[in-house]
Amino acid sequence: MPAPITFLSDYGYGDEFVGVCHGVIARRCPDARVIDIAHAVPRHDVRAGALMLAAALPYMPAGIHLAVVDPGVGSNRRAVALRLAGEARILVGPDNGLLAAACERFGGVAEALDIGRSPARLEPVSATFHGRDIFAPVAGTLAAGEPLAALGDPFDPATLTELEIPGARLRDGALLAHVLGQDHFGNLMLDATGAQLSELGARPGDALVVELPGRSHTARYGSAFAEVPAGELLLYEDSRGMAALAVNRGSAAQLLAAEGAGVELTVRRA
Amino acid sequence: MPAPITFLSDYGYGDEFVGVCHGVIARRCPDARVIDIAHAVPRHDVRAGALMLAAALPYMPAGIHLAVVDPGVGSNRRAVALRLAGEARILVGPDNGLLAAACERFGGVAEALDIGRSPARLEPVSATFHGRDIFAPVAGTLAAGEPLAALGDPFDPATLTELEIPGARLRDGALLAHVLGQDHFGNLMLDATGAQLSELGARPGDALVVELPGRSHTARYGSAFAEVPAGELLLYEDSRGMAALAVNRGSAAQLLAAEGAGVELTVRRA
Amino acid sequence: MPAPITFLSDYGYGDEFVGVCHGVIARRCPDARVIDIAHAVPRHDVRAGALMLAAALPYMPAGIHLAVVDPGVGSNRRAVALRLAGEARILVGPDNGLLAAACERFGGVAEALDIGRSPARLEPVSATFHGRDIFAPVAGTLAAGEPLAALGDPFDPATLTELEIPGARLRDGALLAHVLGQDHFGNLMLDATGAQLSELGARPGDALVVELPGRSHTARYGSAFAEVPAGELLLYEDSRGMAALAVNRGSAAQLLAAEGAGVELTVRRA
């Protein structure tokens, strides 16, 4: 049974891009098993994609992890395949920071290959769809059993592009954080960790004040949506281990008018 | 070959939730086959999810049927696995009515287990994502061949939560019905059955009057969209066996301004 | 291992339609492998579906190619299964032009069957969901190894419905083209081929003028998004081999206010 392939991208579901990559993989490895992590990373948002990949990977079987959020496709950014140090996993995608958080989570990179001119690529390589022409065929060829070293040119992992993530910090007894994004339910993911919430000194059940420019809201510090009445705000550690804001049976993004990443907010004890 | 798993939820496609559940299943059962029924159940709409599941299940191979629409996640609602009486099928999901219509359709529940503290669950169990931490790992473990009885604590199926569905009724020669929801094409699904349409005394080709608060429309009683001119209204028995309204090459939801569930309407002979 | 099935439709992701077809296939062929090309063809847009299918098929492994964009479902349009002349591929879908461009691309049709009354269909056949009742069961039965000839009534391929595609043309040194649609990134696909772009006499790097009714824009003729500054317009040959317009890190559809198919535009050298 071939190693499983997971697949994350910002291709969305409005086109045949995802399906074409699946087809290319199946042509290289007819019995490949592909798990779609998600294809709704906000368009060209490398940071959101990187966070999603790093959050999802521990739940994925070890295998080949294809990820494509690639605003620089066709430029001279590298196309890479990276063998992780910590587990038997290979990441395949553009070298623009997208793979960085996942690499860090699994102990760094043991082996790095430039696959931009890989013998596995589809010819001719287009300037706009390397998912189809480089990344998917390399992933499928790996799943079919080809050794990594045969598929590209080795380079020093220390030269890989890093990822910048804004960080939350505690100051004067308050937590200054940023919205990283929102999920399908309107829950807001913050750049603070669950551990930083604890450092705030809040205890489960405590009332907290969430301040945004020009407005403030009261939130309950808890762990389950149902701990607050419908329509009220909950601050909790989400299933990724990050601080998050939710409204029970409602949308925190809507209540706080904080749609979109980057919004700054402050959390303090009431 | 492991039993197939089907998967229905309200997770949508904007996040990695569905993909993470697929990953968890693959870790428990590497050669699992998962069929996604749909993940676009309206958010937290247990009734819509229950109807969709019951409508889809007869077309699914017998196996393990994972369903998650779970507004009460983290509260004390039970997490359950149910063996059906009529066929070799096991349903896995929250005990909030979501599984009720499917259970009824297949002759009731022969064996019920509380899986909230299942040995198959992921530790630690989050308060917000039981799809990942309880339901998917139980489904994957069942697909891998573990016997149902080993995965939870038995309880009396008579204590399962029931599902309330508003019912259409005939009165004074008219059919009073409600919109249950709409599909991708703008077709409106009603809570009336095809049999109730027949009781109305309408015959194929008849003109009918569809009344909503403050407005009324003429519909043709038929069976295929193409039986009415483009832009005109058709009342028909849909592919689920339920009464439905469509506009040929248009949207009934838009024409009737009846977007959203619960809208009441009356159908009478012209 | 059964032949792979690919699946393209306009069913979207808001319902259980796609999932139900997967279930029906799995009941006919338990170890079937299904690759979803896309299900977001604009509703009832046979031409867009036909172009997408023809563009995707060369990247799909040879097998059974299920395609359903079927505004005439329930009318007397034929349901068909077509064996292609050029490769070991069978197309399954409605005879309304949807399959025409793909047939042409692979050397025409060697064998055509009317499957409207196929012994493989689900009984009773609904008037509105032939994807479930005719096309998916025929595809699944083919994947399970049943010979094509057993699944319908042969007819003369010359009677198949053709597809009309508006054509771009060169006149007075300008290229008159139409928007065929847009992708998830806002890139506009035109009905001109890459070859027609070359005939215009433009060379890579040249500035071009793109004229729409009442407005005009300057575009760079190139091949990669990054060749123009962020926010600027690029005219290029896309990954399908067709002329297309993109805005680097932006949306051409938005910049040109040319959302929707059919918009006419003229390209000339600056």
Side-chain angles (χ1 to χ4, degrees):
Chain A
M1 204 162 65
I5 295 171
T6 71
F7 185 13
L8 174 142
S9 79
D10 67 345
Y11 288 151
Y13 299 94
D15 309 287
E16 78 277 24
F17 299 157
V18 170
V20 162
C21 291
H22 277 255
V24 167
I25 290 169
R27 287 173 69 98
R28 296 303 170 98
C29 181
D31 55 344
R33 289 165 305 134
V34 184
I35 296 172
D36 293 294
I37 296 178
H39 297 290
V41 172
R43 180 187 174 205
H44 289 175
D45 189 337
V46 171
R47 195 180 70 190
L51 292 170
M52 194 181 276
L53 183 67
L57 231 54
Y59 298 98
M60 297 294 142
I64 296 140
H65 305 289
L66 173 61
V68 190
V69 179
D70 195 12
V73 60
S75 72
N76 60 358
R77 68 95 190 87
R78 266 189 305 220
V80 299
L82 310 175
R83 191 165 57 77
L84 297 185
E87 285 195 17
R89 296 179 186 265
I90 296 172
L91 306 188
V92 177
D95 176 21
N96 59 8
L98 176 66
L99 311 177
C103 290
E104 197 179 329
R105 191 153 190 161
F106 287 96
V109 174
E111 186 180 359
L113 274 87
D114 184 330
I115 56 171
R117 304 180 58 82
S118 175
R121 69 183 180 170
L122 284 191
E123 293 283 4
V125 171
S126 70
T128 53
F129 194 4
H130 286 189
R132 178 191 72 189
D133 298 334
I134 296 179
F135 302 122
V138 164
T141 305
L142 285 166
E146 194 78 9
L148 177 59
L151 298 182
D153 304 309
F155 67 89
D156 180 358
T159 66
L160 281 163
T161 301
E162 290 180 12
L163 180 73
E164 278 173 42
I165 301 183
R169 62 185 194 282
L170 285 155
R171 194 167 59 186
D172 305 334
L175 181 65
L176 281 70
H178 307 84
V179 174
L180 285 174
Q182 67 179 79
D183 71 13
H184 169 62
F185 296 103
N187 302 328
L188 294 172
M189 188 173 64
L190 307 183
D191 58 357
T193 61
Q196 285 175 309
L197 280 184
S198 306
E199 286 172 47
L200 197 62
R203 278 180 301 193
D206 281 2
L208 300 169
V209 179
V210 178
E211 292 171 1
L212 291 93
R215 57 205 190 277
S216 91
H217 294 266
T218 301
R220 183 75 46 188
Y221 180 37
S223 61
F225 304 140
E227 286 175 25
V228 295
E232 297 203 0
L233 199 60
L234 177 80
L235 181 71
Y236 66 110
E237 183 178 329
D238 75 7
S239 57
R240 296 170 165 187
M242 301 295 282
L245 286 159
V247 165
N248 186 20
R249 305 194 182 221
S251 161
Q254 221 173 314
L255 181 74
L256 301 182
E259 319 222 356
V263 175
E264 202 174 286
L265 47 80
T266 305
V267 181
R268 51 179 95 251
R269 297 170 64 181
Chain B
M1 203 163 64
I5 295 171
T6 70
F7 185 13
L8 174 142
S9 78
D10 66 345
Y11 288 149
Y13 299 94
D15 310 287
E16 77 278 24
F17 299 157
V18 169
V20 163
C21 291
H22 277 254
V24 168
I25 289 169
R27 288 174 69 97
R28 295 304 169 96
C29 181
D31 54 345
R33 289 165 304 136
V34 184
I35 296 171
D36 291 295
I37 296 179
H39 298 289
V41 173
R43 182 188 172 203
H44 288 174
D45 189 338
V46 171
R47 194 179 71 189
L51 290 171
M52 195 182 273
L53 183 67
L57 232 53
Y59 297 98
M60 298 293 142
I64 296 141
H65 305 290
L66 173 62
V68 190
V69 178
D70 195 12
V73 62
S75 72
N76 60 359
R77 69 94 189 88
R78 268 187 304 220
V80 300
L82 310 175
R83 191 165 57 75
L84 297 183
E87 287 195 16
R89 295 178 186 266
I90 296 174
L91 306 188
V92 177
D95 176 20
N96 60 7
L98 177 65
L99 312 176
C103 289
E104 197 180 328
R105 190 153 190 162
F106 287 96
V109 174
E111 188 179 358
L113 274 87
D114 185 330
I115 56 170
R117 306 179 58 81
S118 174
R121 67 184 180 170
L122 284 192
E123 292 283 3
V125 171
S126 71
T128 53
F129 195 4
H130 287 188
R132 178 192 70 190
D133 299 334
I134 296 179
F135 301 123
V138 165
T141 305
L142 284 167
E146 194 78 10
L148 177 60
L151 297 182
D153 304 308
F155 67 89
D156 180 357
T159 66
L160 281 163
T161 300
E162 292 179 10
L163 180 74
E164 277 174 42
I165 302 183
R169 62 184 194 283
L170 286 156
R171 196 167 59 186
D172 304 334
L175 181 64
L176 281 71
H178 308 85
V179 173
L180 285 173
Q182 67 179 80
D183 70 14
H184 169 61
F185 296 103
N187 303 328
L188 295 172
M189 187 174 63
L190 307 183
D191 58 356
T193 60
Q196 285 176 311
L197 280 184
S198 305
E199 285 172 47
L200 197 63
R203 278 180 299 192
D206 281 0
L208 299 170
V209 178
V210 178
E211 292 172 0
L212 290 92
R215 58 205 190 276
S216 89
H217 295 266
T218 301
R220 185 73 47 186
Y221 180 38
S223 62
F225 304 140
E227 288 175 22
V228 295
E232 297 203 3
L233 199 60
L234 177 81
L235 181 71
Y236 66 110
E237 184 177 329
D238 75 6
S239 58
R240 297 169 164 186
M242 301 294 282
L245 286 160
V247 165
N248 186 21
R249 305 195 180 217
S251 161
Q254 222 173 314
L255 180 73
L256 301 183
E259 318 221 356
V263 175
E264 203 175 286
L265 49 79
T266 305
V267 181
R268 51 179 95 251
R269 300 168 64 181
Chain C
M1 205 162 65
I5 295 171
T6 71
F7 186 12
L8 174 143
S9 77
D10 67 346
Y11 288 150
Y13 300 94
D15 310 286
E16 77 278 24
F17 300 155
V18 170
V20 162
C21 291
H22 277 254
V24 167
I25 290 168
R27 288 175 68 98
R28 295 303 171 95
C29 181
D31 54 346
R33 290 166 302 135
V34 184
I35 297 171
D36 292 294
I37 296 178
H39 297 289
V41 173
R43 179 188 175 207
H44 288 174
D45 190 337
V46 171
R47 196 178 70 189
L51 291 170
M52 194 182 275
L53 183 67
L57 231 54
Y59 298 99
M60 298 293 142
I64 296 139
H65 305 289
L66 173 61
V68 189
V69 178
D70 195 11
V73 60
S75 72
N76 60 358
R77 70 93 190 86
R78 268 187 304 217
V80 299
L82 310 175
R83 191 163 59 73
L84 297 184
E87 285 196 16
R89 296 179 187 264
I90 296 173
L91 306 189
V92 177
D95 175 21
N96 60 8
L98 176 65
L99 312 177
C103 289
E104 197 179 330
R105 192 154 189 159
F106 286 98
V109 174
E111 186 180 358
L113 274 87
D114 184 329
I115 56 170
R117 307 180 57 82
S118 175
R121 68 183 180 171
L122 283 192
E123 293 283 3
V125 171
S126 71
T128 53
F129 194 4
H130 287 187
R132 178 191 72 190
D133 299 334
I134 295 179
F135 301 122
V138 164
T141 304
L142 285 166
E146 193 79 10
L148 177 60
L151 297 182
D153 305 307
F155 67 89
D156 179 359
T159 66
L160 281 163
T161 302
E162 292 180 10
L163 181 73
E164 279 174 42
I165 302 182
R169 63 183 192 282
L170 286 155
R171 196 168 57 187
D172 303 334
L175 180 64
L176 280 71
H178 307 84
V179 174
L180 285 174
Q182 67 179 79
D183 71 12
H184 170 62
F185 296 103
N187 303 328
L188 295 172
M189 186 173 67
L190 307 183
D191 57 356
T193 61
Q196 285 176 311
L197 280 184
S198 307
E199 287 173 46
L200 197 61
R203 279 179 301 194
D206 280 2
L208 299 170
V209 179
V210 178
E211 294 171 358
L212 291 91
R215 58 205 189 276
S216 90
H217 295 265
T218 301
R220 183 74 48 188
Y221 180 37
S223 62
F225 304 139
E227 287 174 23
V228 295
E232 298 203 1
L233 199 60
L234 178 79
L235 181 70
Y236 66 111
E237 183 177 330
D238 75 7
S239 58
R240 297 170 165 187
M242 302 294 282
L245 286 159
V247 165
N248 186 20
R249 305 197 180 217
S251 161
Q254 222 174 312
L255 180 73
L256 300 183
E259 319 222 354
V263 175
E264 204 174 287
L265 48 78
T266 305
V267 181
R268 53 180 94 249
R269 299 169 65 180

